[in-house]
Amino acid sequence: MPDLALPPLPQPPAEATIAALAAELEAVEPGLVLHRSIEERTRLSRDFHDYSPVLTPLLAGKIAQLAVVASTVEQVMAVAAACARHGVPLTLRGAGTGNYGQCVPLAGGVVLDLTGLNRVRRIDPSSGVLEAEAGCRLAELDAALAPHGRALRMAPSTWRSASLGGFIAGGSGGIGSVRWGFLRDPGNLLALEVVTVEPQPRLLTLEGGAAQPLNHAYGTNGILTAVTVATAPAVAWQQVVVDFPDWWAALEVARTLPGTALELDDLTLLQAPLAAGMPWTQGCPAPAAGQHRLLLLVAPDTLSLLPAWLAERGGTVIWQQPQGSSRGGTLRELTWNHTTLHWRARHKGWTYLQLALPVPERPLLEAVAERWGERVLWHLEGVRQGGSARLSALPVVQLGNAAELAELINFCRDHGAGSADPHVLSVEDGSSGVVDPNQVAAKTAHDPAGLLNPGKLRGWVGKA
Ligand SMILES: Cc1cc2nc3c(=O)[nH]c(=O)nc-3n(C[C@H](O)[C@H](O)[C@H](O)COP(=O)(O)OP(=O)(O)OC[C@H]3O[C@@H](n4cnc5c(N)ncnc54)[C@H](O)[C@@H]3O)c2cc1C
């Protein structure tokens, strides 16, 4: 695990500079909401990095000196201009559901909340292409798409609260990734509207490949004010819960089901102790002792075949319900990092990893079980990676410090797994580990003074 210390950072600006900037903003954009109280600044400087025992102490006390809520592109441009003129760090924020401290300001300055930019601009009737402002919540976008027979291609399990801009800048995939892959896969993100951070900010439209350097860059290289994405035909997804007495039989089904013509929107496999610890959706029985559990979102036309297909492979359908008729929580909110959320609610001190499993998966899973036993519990997710059906994993782990986590991550890497480490701060360390020159070039072009989210783009640190 790299970087356990904070990177070199600019000094937080003097309070007099912040006061001058605030006064200027109130004069030029009276519609902006400015928060100066410690309570509001603290609230708007937090995300969900407390899942990490490594990031939690590192980010303690990192609070913006001013929090601003914008609701128009003009207001965003006014904030960008003022920060550029005063040399004040600017950290962007959607709903604040990120897991890696992505919207925690490391060098003080301003936090800009963009959830007020919440207008749908266009749903193309023939292609279904959606253009919406960056602060739109994903659930609201699905509601807007539904009358057109369309839906978002993919969403994080935080779909109810997460913003579109935050998903593009901070997320990677989720429900739907078993069909559509990840946000970075060409064809999912089509264009971005971007505000630059300069004394005279520019409003740019970046299309196709030009938008990619801002995809998953933690808001370090441009302010997204609108996003254009491809959408999918809407399907009345059915929630199906399947129990298996045998873990390896369940793994085999998770490996092979996405390769059939049975249409899926999500496939989640939980090892028995983890399945036993979930708050099951109303009406869905908890698993019997020792049962491993597969959660599926499937198209209605699979239902005549699926139960028999699963039974032949050792699985029993326990519960089934259309997603749209769920009361309270849906299966969606038991998948992806919601599994971690629910487990941690009852098991303090546990954390998690994010892995791309090797093929075949079994040797790694056996080797980890032999070394760590039930301190590592497997949670697998079906994904499409580079066009092929693969399994990723978000195991929950009872490992309390950086050295123990690094040992497990390195062990998994040595056994062929990829790791997107959720216990590091920079864009690069949380993904491939390699500096992407296109991300750095975009920062040079859109944020020449290096004010956006300082400390998070390793390829830039020290350049400003
Ligand atoms: C329980 C739980 C489950 C989760 N499941 C998933 C999952 O399935 N898949 C997944 O990918 N993630 C997941 N996440 C992480 C997170 O919820 C998602 O990535 C979500 O899409 C982030 O959106 P947000 O609006 O909360 O972004 P924020 O947390 O507010 O911001 C995320 C990053 O984007 C930047 N940013 C925000 N808005 C803009 C903008 N307009 N322009 C430029 N930069 C901006 C911020 O500076 C920050 O770096 C999960 C988190 C939790 C707590």
Side-chain angles (χ1 to χ4, degrees):
M1 189 177 302
D3 288 352
L4 299 179
L6 290 174
L9 293 165
Q11 281 299 313
E15 288 302 332
T17 307
I18 298 294
L21 180 146
E24 187 179 313
L25 285 176
E26 280 173 329
V28 296
E29 280 292 342
L32 274 170
V33 178
L34 270 54
H35 291 293
R36 295 177 172 88
S37 75
I38 182 70
E39 292 79 15
E40 284 300 285
R41 287 187 288 119
T42 303
R43 181 178 70 80
L44 294 169
S45 299
R46 297 267 72 88
D47 65 6
F48 282 77
H49 67 267
D50 65 344
Y51 287 20
S52 167
V54 182
L55 295 180
T56 301
L58 211 54
L59 297 180
K62 298 290 173 198
I63 297 168
Q65 292 161 281
L66 179 70
V68 181
V69 184
S71 49
T72 66
V73 174
E74 292 71 27
Q75 291 176 353
V76 172
M77 294 180 86
V79 175
C83 287
R85 275 201 297 275
H86 291 274
V88 168
L90 175 58
T91 301
L92 309 171
R93 178 185 175 89
T97 66
N99 283 120
Y100 327 127
Q102 292 126 298
C103 62
V104 176
L106 299 184
V110 170
V111 158
L112 177 60
D113 177 330
L114 290 144
T115 50
L117 274 84
N118 56 9
R119 286 156 281 267
V120 174
R121 290 190 182 168
R122 175 173 67 99
I123 298 172
D124 185 276
S126 54
S127 64
V129 165
L130 166 75
E131 182 187 359
E133 288 185 345
C136 289
R137 295 191 195 279
L138 298 175
E140 286 162 9
L141 291 177
D142 263 339
L145 286 163
H148 302 265
R150 308 292 300 186
L152 293 173
R153 282 185 171 184
M154 71 187 76
S157 56
T158 46
W159 159 90
R160 286 184 202 268
S161 50
S163 72
L164 180 60
F167 187 38
I168 300 295
S172 53
I175 298 142
S177 284
V178 71
R179 286 201 296 165
W180 297 104
F182 292 92
L183 284 172
R184 64 173 173 264
D185 287 322
N188 287 324
L189 171 64
L190 302 179
L192 293 173
E193 182 184 88
V194 175
V195 169
T196 63
V197 180
E198 299 172 285
Q200 305 288 333
R202 290 166 293 150
L203 184 64
L204 309 174
T205 300
L206 305 178
E207 293 182 333
Q212 284 300 340
L214 285 79
N215 192 348
H216 202 72
Y218 296 2
T220 57
N221 56 9
I223 308 175
L224 315 185
T225 46
V227 177
T228 305
V229 289
T231 63
V235 176
W237 298 110
Q238 308 291 308
Q239 311 174 100
V240 177
V241 167
V242 191
D243 281 357
F244 291 82
D246 183 73
W247 172 245
W248 303 116
L251 175 68
E252 193 54 24
V253 165
R255 294 185 65 231
T256 51
L257 182 53
T260 67
L262 297 159
E263 195 179 1
L264 297 172
D265 199 38
D266 196 69
L267 179 154
T268 301
L269 178 58
L270 305 177
Q271 235 183 338
L274 195 45
M278 292 297 112
W280 289 100
T281 307
Q282 199 176 21
C284 175
Q291 295 288 314
H292 310 282
R293 188 159 266 196
L294 183 69
L295 319 184
L296 300 172
L297 295 179
V298 296
D301 60 13
T302 63
L303 292 178
S304 58
L305 196 70
L306 189 65
W309 190 92
L310 291 163
E312 282 164 21
R313 289 157 181 83
T316 306
V317 173
I318 297 295
W319 180 80
Q320 180 187 319
Q321 193 178 72
Q323 180 169 260
S325 66
S326 270
R327 296 231 176 102
T330 61
L331 278 196
R332 277 172 165 242
E333 278 127 344
L334 296 174
T335 68
W336 291 88
N337 229 5
H338 265 75
T339 311
T340 318
L341 176 143
H342 296 305
W343 183 257
R344 278 173 40 81
R346 297 180 191 176
H347 299 84
K348 298 295 172 209
W350 284 65
T351 183
Y352 77 114
L353 296 183
Q354 298 179 140
L355 303 167
L357 295 185
V359 180
E361 301 83 358
R362 185 166 174 164
L364 168 66
L365 271 50
E366 283 178 333
V368 169
E370 193 176 316
R371 178 112 166 231
W372 280 275
E374 293 212 337
R375 296 175 73 203
V376 177
L377 298 176
W378 287 104
H379 159 200
L380 310 186
E381 291 285 344
V383 297
R384 192 170 166 82
Q385 197 177 18
S388 304
R390 294 283 295 269
L391 290 171
S392 64
L394 293 91
V396 293
V397 301
Q398 193 184 27
L399 302 174
N401 65 51
E404 287 182 325
L405 289 164
E407 185 189 356
L408 175 58
I409 290 173
N410 290 334
F411 185 91
C412 293
R413 284 185 173 142
D414 290 346
H415 284 74
S419 165
D421 189 344
H423 305 284
V424 291
L425 277 177
S426 77
V427 173
E428 294 92 342
D429 293 333
S431 49
S432 67
V434 176
V435 169
D436 175 351
N438 294 325
Q439 284 183 333
V440 180
K443 188 165 179 73
T444 308
H446 305 148
D447 176 30
L451 295 171
L452 280 174
N453 213 350
K456 305 283 175 58
L457 193 67
R458 184 153 55 74
W460 175 269
V461 168
K463 282 196 173 197

